[in-house]
Amino acid sequence: MILGLIFSILTATYTLSSTTSVESSGDIPQNSTFHYERSATTGQRGQMTAGNSTTLFLSGWDGCTIESVTLSMRSNKSGGAGSMQMHIGNRIVWEIEDSKFSDGVWYDSFTTEFVDISCSLNEIVGNGEAITIHITASENSLYINSYTISYTPPAPKVHEVHFVSGLSYNPHSLTEDFIGSGVVLPMGVDTLEWHFLGWSEQEITDDTQCPPLLLANERYFPAMDCTLWAVYSNSDGMHSSDSEISGDYIMASSFWQVAVIGQITDGEMHTTPISLEQTDDYYTLLTGIDENMIYHIDFLPDSTLTIRHKTTGSLIGYKGNKLANRECYWHYRLLEDGSFGFYYRDDIYDRMFYIMDDVACAHLINLSLLNKEGVILFPAERILFTSWPFGKFDNVENIFESTDYTTNGTYQIYFGNYILQIKNGKKQMVISK
């Protein structure tokens, strides 16, 4: 039992990497975040001159027991004084009153070597409580190099998932049957104007962007008690195209569930996560698009094509074994899985435009075996997404403090695909799509 307790204690360290930022290392709690601030605009990394301060902000430590905290600090050779306060939520859990660094509450002597200033705590972080460590110098100078937190993570437990449908009825909350078992996500319903796509860890309010979706009937593994929001679209999704028609397209991979984005950098291109669904006849792009994901493809009569990044006009070509910003003619063929194979001859080799998890590149292939996992093309179109198909509020009274619309000003209220505009007491209904 004692060994179990010892090995359950983890350590997270935040080390200054510049005058304005820190880097994390060690056992960082899952889904936690951190932020570092420094009041001074001059001086060395971690330096606090008289009247200046540094603060480390931590969140997402819910349920953790903070066993101890160690600050790696130093002073000047013969000077340096200040104070420190550590908060968990509104509680002060560790405090050093304004004193010289040579006092016993700090280190007992001035030093230009970084030394450990430590405190044992045994404090539990409550739900939603942030951790802050604020140090202020009153005499030149104090320096902070790193913050190390030893902690015990919360005991594993089953988690509960709540659902917000954006409609008058929400699905019942689901609780894991046992620790780590996850829950099967419920199906949503369509409205007359909006199509249910799936669930999201983020609430969406009338946007052209959509995060990767959690699909209904799939198993979801929550890291904590949480809420999921339904996601709707004013389209049933972009359908893949196998037509050889010039136009603006999204280039995607069904295997990796990513799309190409931006221009060529160092012979490769970046990708971004998307959500795709496959049917017998086509693929459906469920998530939204960014302008940087759009490419103009010209299909030419001789089974070749050219690719140009729509926003910047940058050409997508090749040179040797890498992608290159130059005009090139790609050979293409339609593959068995409905994707396109874009390829070219490199001396004695054949290479294709291949989309992987994090990059797209010129990939060496055996052309005779090129029959699937090419580029899936989606004609680019604007799609709206929301978690509230009838608007977030039940009625106008919940939106405005006053119902007097005779004053100057314009108000907009969203009802699905419609916008009610009220200006100077006059109302006008506008279709938003």
Side-chain angles (χ1 to χ4, degrees), residues 277-292:
E277 201 170 56
Q278 185 176 3
T279 63
D280 292 337
D281 300 322
Y282 52 78
Y283 298 91
T284 301
L285 177 61
L286 301 177
T287 42
I289 64 173
D290 183 282
E291 288 187 358
N292 272 331

Side-chain angles (χ1 to χ4, degrees), residues 146-208:
S146 66
Y147 309 77
T148 298
I149 301 175
S150 296
Y151 70 98
T152 303
K157 64 175 186 177
V158 295
H159 296 297
E160 186 176 12
V161 181
H162 304 277
F163 300 94
V164 177
S165 70
L167 306 174
S168 59
Y169 169 80
N170 293 321
H172 294 297
S173 299
L174 297 177
T175 302
E176 293 179 290
D177 292 330
F178 53 87
I179 295 172
S181 66
V183 298
V184 177
L185 298 179
M187 178 60 71
V189 297
D190 294 344
T191 72
L192 185 62
E193 297 286 344
W194 294 88
H195 301 275
F196 172 80
L197 300 180
W199 301 94
S200 171
E201 295 174 342
Q202 306 170 33
E203 178 185 10
I204 302 172
T205 54
D206 301 320
D207 202 343
T208 57

Side-chain angles (χ1 to χ4, degrees), residues 48-53 79-84 96-101 106 135-142:
M48 291 162 278
T49 54
N52 284 302
S53 63
S83 60
M84 188 279 302
I96 298 176
E97 295 185 353
D98 192 12
S99 310
K100 293 183 180 297
F101 201 73
W106 283 107
I135 307 171
T136 300
S138 57
E139 177 186 302
N140 293 351
S141 285
L142 295 182

Side-chain angles (χ1 to χ4, degrees), residues 5 8-10 61 63-67 122-123 150-155:
L5 290 174
S8 69
I9 296 178
L10 306 177
W61 286 64
C64 294
T65 300
I66 308 300
E67 306 289 351
N122 192 31
E123 293 280 349
S150 296
Y151 70 98
T152 303

Side-chain angles (χ1 to χ4, degrees), residues 84-128:
M84 188 279 302
Q85 276 193 346
M86 176 177 175
H87 284 80
I88 296 179
N90 295 322
R91 294 172 287 133
I92 299 176
V93 296
W94 181 19
E95 182 174 21
I96 298 176
E97 295 185 353
D98 192 12
S99 310
K100 293 183 180 297
F101 201 73
S102 57
D103 289 350
V105 292
W106 283 107
Y107 185 63
D108 244 353
S109 67
F110 296 115
T111 177
T112 57
E113 299 293 328
F114 282 106
V115 295
D116 289 344
I117 312 297
S118 301
C119 180
S120 297
L121 293 178
N122 192 31
E123 293 280 349
I124 298 176
V125 183
N127 289 336

Side-chain angles (χ1 to χ4, degrees), residues 39 189 373:
S39 63
V189 297
E373 293 187 17

